[in-house]
Amino acid sequence: MAEPLRIALAGLGTVGAGVIRLLDANRELITRRAGREIAIVAVSARDRTKDRGVDLSRFAWEDDMTAMAARGDVDVVVELVGGSDGPALTLARNAIRDGKALVTANKAMIAHHGLSLAKEAETAGVALKFEAAVAGGIPVIKGLREGAAANAIERIYGILNGTCNYILSTMEDTGRDFGDVLGDAQRLGYAESDPTFDIEGIDAAHKLSILASIAFGAELDFANVDTTGISALRAADIAQAESLGYVIRLIGLAETDQGGGGQTRLFQRVQPCLVPYGHPLAHVDGPTNAVVTEGNFSGRLLFQGAGAGDGPTASAVVADLIDIARGEIGAAFSVPVDELEKLEPATSGHRMGRRYIRFAVNDRPGVLAEITAAMRDAGVSIESLLQKGRQTEEGEVLVAIVTHEGPESAVVKALDLLDGSPSLTAPPLVMQLLGG
Amino acid sequence: MAEPLRIALAGLGTVGAGVIRLLDANRELITRRAGREIAIVAVSARDRTKDRGVDLSRFAWEDDMTAMAARGDVDVVVELVGGSDGPALTLARNAIRDGKALVTANKAMIAHHGLSLAKEAETAGVALKFEAAVAGGIPVIKGLREGAAANAIERIYGILNGTCNYILSTMEDTGRDFGDVLGDAQRLGYAESDPTFDIEGIDAAHKLSILASIAFGAELDFANVDTTGISALRAADIAQAESLGYVIRLIGLAETDQGGGGQTRLFQRVQPCLVPYGHPLAHVDGPTNAVVTEGNFSGRLLFQGAGAGDGPTASAVVADLIDIARGEIGAAFSVPVDELEKLEPATSGHRMGRRYIRFAVNDRPGVLAEITAAMRDAGVSIESLLQKGRQTEEGEVLVAIVTHEGPESAVVKALDLLDGSPSLTAPPLVMQLLGG
């Protein structure tokens, strides 16, 4: 049997403690599958005295986690601290420069600095792995890099944020409004006390940009993910969608298209979408994640599982460690950084599709005429229009339109025509209908 | 760039031709991802003259496919001939003994000879890979061996045969009977002219035994898969299940339990099951496959996609080739053959669960009393009993019982008590209710 793979673990929150518990619980089978022992030798966290339910006395303790990068008795640094910059990034860079492999669950850091870290890892000849950064315990990065490796990926999309999916499926089940359900999610630990990253789609955008880079062999481009969260959704939207045969899910979607000069461009968007009942993503409830890849030979593949939580995330972290122990490393983004294409971001005006547009309006004569005239003038063809009869407390009514297939630019134009109209009591909400 | 990986391809049916088309279509990206070219150098099939829609003139031709094993210009033999024994097995053994890697989509050969082939591959120091043998294009072997590698797998189950799933979901949609739908499936190419392997569950059992070996680190044991197909199902069963909130799917399931002496045993069964609407497998329609793994840290992971077809199967074959090109090989069954445990087969009498039991009976007084008395005497607790009022042409009526949770042995005993009763016009049909 080979020498143990020696791990320094930075960050002892729920995931860090989960990694320790997992390595304890499954030690024997992991050693067998990895071909060698995976042994934590040092740990670091902010508070040494906190009870985490695991015995830390076996490990060396570092008060300054960045010091772990310089330890001579460590092969791999596992970074579970979080934050796109700051100590996590310092630790990551130092570890790689010191010739150590880096395993991380830090989606923000990879979304912002993944390319430069991968480049440094290539130079140092060490592994950089981040399966846990996307979709928790679901081995979707591995699925893309290896399982679907023979395919040109045509589209990748999915449910990438468990907090939003919990909120949306609970709104669906209970008919309650967004704010209510968010409060419950916070009490239950499904949402952070500051939920912005989750509910505004930023966390999903981090993950989507990582998946898109691997799927399309493109330089990671988080800055150009067009991102809308779920905070503008109302219970009435969910009910409306349901009456049309759809559920609402926050979908991250990436695909490539051809620009005017024939160049390949990258489209990346996180947005609440209407998902038809017949689609597998319509049945993904609670804090579950799911990713669909469409390859030119594989067809549609679906990967589904727990998107967060200590056990699933630890499972992904240790899967990366087993890969490293086996010597199965490969390029972080599937191909070497220099071979990744720099794709310009795709515009969206030409994108064809059907859309749900919801207006909150004052209940007075002429409002419907104003809206439908704008649609006509912009060339948006209306398939159905539903006005909810009941006023809200504020005297507003909701008007929902489902369009026929058409270009996105027409919808944008229609909304421009209505911009500033005193009839509207809130900005219109536009959602794509996800194709079957 | 490293030297090309040189392939000999045996078998030019739809999958073989698909592999050639895939390597042509995606050549550039595969070379980039694999780090070297993957180049077919020789091919073999029964008929050299048949038009397969691909240009074979580029490749050396071997009339005798087993001769490919001895070619000096080949690194990997891809076996797509099929059949558990015969030429496929001869080719596989010869190729491995000659120091070549073997990639195969042949589930029957792996189910019957996988262990001895893996042992020979270890001795020869070559790769043996068979992602395409299970669930077509879905990277489920990779998902188990690597993605879920950190987990003790508690249960693995899924829809492993696309033909059966097509038939069952079509019966569900149309209300038509088994024989009718099978005939259509044969005309549409979803079922073979001799459909026995598919509809009797043998193909699913092949795949289940391969998954179980990898999931549990156990010696492959196809002979002890308890296998029931779908040919006894009637339209009325599907309708009955639907009225109870279930769909019927052919489920392969494997898990371990503890025998009387505390030893670990392996339970493997392929059987039509009632799947509750809320379960992700209830929404798997048509010729799709799906596999669920339940790991002690990952929780439930679902892998879903096309279970057959030239494109998806070729995608899995070439994924294996890319792994080999990258040098990412590992043990065929996740751990070396000598470390696989020899688990004895689990008995099923103690297994707790709810069951659907359907009787076809003569419509005459006393039949229900006879059945319910047998249930009582065997200790089977009845949750609901439905008698279809309408007689079939043969004068029989169907009685469906759903039991409360209880041991399987009680149901077996009840059916023993009824065995030979002149009231029954066909053997009773028993299906498990899949837990949520």
Side-chain angles (χ1 to χ4, degrees), chain A residues 60-412:
Chain A
W61 179 272
E62 294 277 5
D63 281 318
D64 172 13
M65 71 164 146
T66 57
M68 298 177 106
R71 288 185 70 101
D73 59 352
V74 164
D75 304 306
V76 187
V77 170
V78 175
E79 184 277 307
L80 301 172
V81 178
S84 61
D85 295 83
L89 184 61
T90 305
L91 172 61
R93 290 208 196 286
N94 289 355
I96 289 169
R97 285 177 193 155
D98 203 70
K100 294 177 175 62
L102 185 80
V103 171
T104 179
N106 189 332
K107 55 215 80 165
M109 181 177 78
I110 296 299
H112 285 281
H113 306 292
L115 285 189
S116 70
L117 288 170
K119 185 77 194 157
E120 290 178 27
E122 285 170 17
T123 303
V126 299
L128 167 65
K129 296 185 84 74
F130 42 80
E131 182 66 73
V134 179
I138 313 172
V140 62
I141 289 180
K142 192 168 277 296
L144 264 180
R145 283 186 68 237
E146 304 174 30
N151 290 268
I153 301 297
E154 295 168 341
R155 199 154 75 128
I156 181 162
Y157 60 102
I159 294 170
L160 298 171
N161 183 274
T163 303
C164 288
N165 209 61
Y166 172 82
I167 292 173
L168 292 173
S169 57
T170 305
M171 287 173 73
E172 200 174 293
D173 292 344
T174 61
R176 290 160 64 212
D177 239 319
F178 174 78
D180 268 14
V181 176
L182 171 61
D184 272 8
Q186 288 172 314
R187 276 186 292 279
L188 290 167
Y190 288 131
E192 310 270 349
S193 53
D194 176 358
T196 312
F197 261 47
D198 290 317
I199 64 172
E200 297 307 340
I202 301 159
D203 174 78
H206 285 148
K207 296 167 183 167
L208 180 68
S209 67
I210 296 169
L211 290 177
S213 172
I214 297 170
F216 302 112
E219 288 190 9
L220 199 151
D221 187 14
F222 167 68
N224 283 302
V225 183
D226 174 22
T227 305
T228 309
I230 63 168
S231 55
L233 283 171
R234 305 191 185 189
D237 293 313
I238 309 252
Q240 222 47 296
E242 194 174 355
S243 73
L244 296 163
Y246 294 83
V247 299
I248 298 178
R249 293 287 180 267
L250 183 69
I251 301 290
L253 179 147
E255 61 190 329
T256 54
D257 71 6
Q258 303 300 315
Q263 77 282 26
T264 303
R265 306 182 307 180
L266 178 59
F267 179 77
Q268 302 177 93
R269 178 182 272 168
V270 171
Q271 196 182 51
C273 292
L274 272 66
V275 180
Y277 285 147
H279 194 288
L281 293 186
H283 306 285
V284 178
D285 296 322
T288 304
N289 284 14
V291 178
V292 176
T293 65
E294 293 177 356
N296 64 340
F297 280 75
S298 65
R300 182 190 279 176
L301 294 174
L302 170 73
F303 303 85
Q304 183 174 325
D310 54 341
T313 310
S315 166
V317 168
V318 178
D320 279 347
L321 294 175
I322 292 173
D323 271 356
I324 292 170
R326 286 170 169 164
E328 300 189 348
I329 294 175
F333 291 94
S334 190
V335 299
V337 172
D338 288 346
E339 293 181 28
L340 293 170
E341 289 185 85
K342 187 167 178 51
L343 301 184
E344 65 177 275
T347 52
S348 63
H350 64 292
R351 291 180 66 82
M352 298 298 288
R354 295 169 62 207
R355 293 165 190 94
Y356 169 99
I357 312 170
R358 186 260 291 153
F359 300 91
V361 299
N362 291 310
D363 190 12
R364 62 180 189 201
V367 172
L368 275 183
E370 183 183 352
I371 290 173
T372 53
M375 295 288 153
R376 178 199 61 209
D377 296 345
V380 176
S381 175
I382 296 175
E383 182 193 286
S384 55
L385 184 152
L386 308 110
Q387 178 173 343
K388 235 178 109 68
R390 197 159 43 89
Q391 285 190 6
T392 64
E393 286 166 21
E394 295 78 20
E396 72 180 357
V397 295
L398 300 182
V399 176
I401 286 174
V402 174
T403 72
H404 281 294
E405 181 95 0
E408 189 160 313
S409 55
V411 171
V412 172

Side-chain angles (χ1 to χ4, degrees), chain B residues 87-144:
Chain B
L89 184 61
T90 305
L91 172 61
R93 290 208 196 285
N94 289 355
I96 290 169
R97 285 179 192 154
D98 204 69
K100 295 178 175 62
L102 184 80
V103 171
T104 179
N106 189 332
K107 55 217 79 167
M109 181 176 78
I110 296 298
H112 285 279
H113 305 292
L115 284 189
S116 70
L117 288 170
K119 185 77 195 157
E120 291 179 26
E122 285 170 17
T123 304
V126 299
L128 167 65
K129 296 183 84 74
F130 41 81
E131 181 67 72
V134 179
I138 313 173
V140 61
I141 289 181
K142 191 169 278 296
L144 264 181

Side-chain angles (χ1 to χ4, degrees), chain B residues 144 153 156 206-221 225 253-256 266-268 333 340 343:
Chain B
L144 264 181
I153 301 297
I156 182 163
H206 284 149
K207 296 168 183 168
L208 181 68
S209 66
I210 295 169
L211 290 177
S213 171
I214 296 169
F216 302 111
E219 287 190 10
L220 199 151
D221 186 15
V225 183
L253 179 147
E255 61 190 330
T256 54
L266 179 60
F267 179 77
Q268 302 177 95
F333 292 94
L340 293 170
L343 300 184

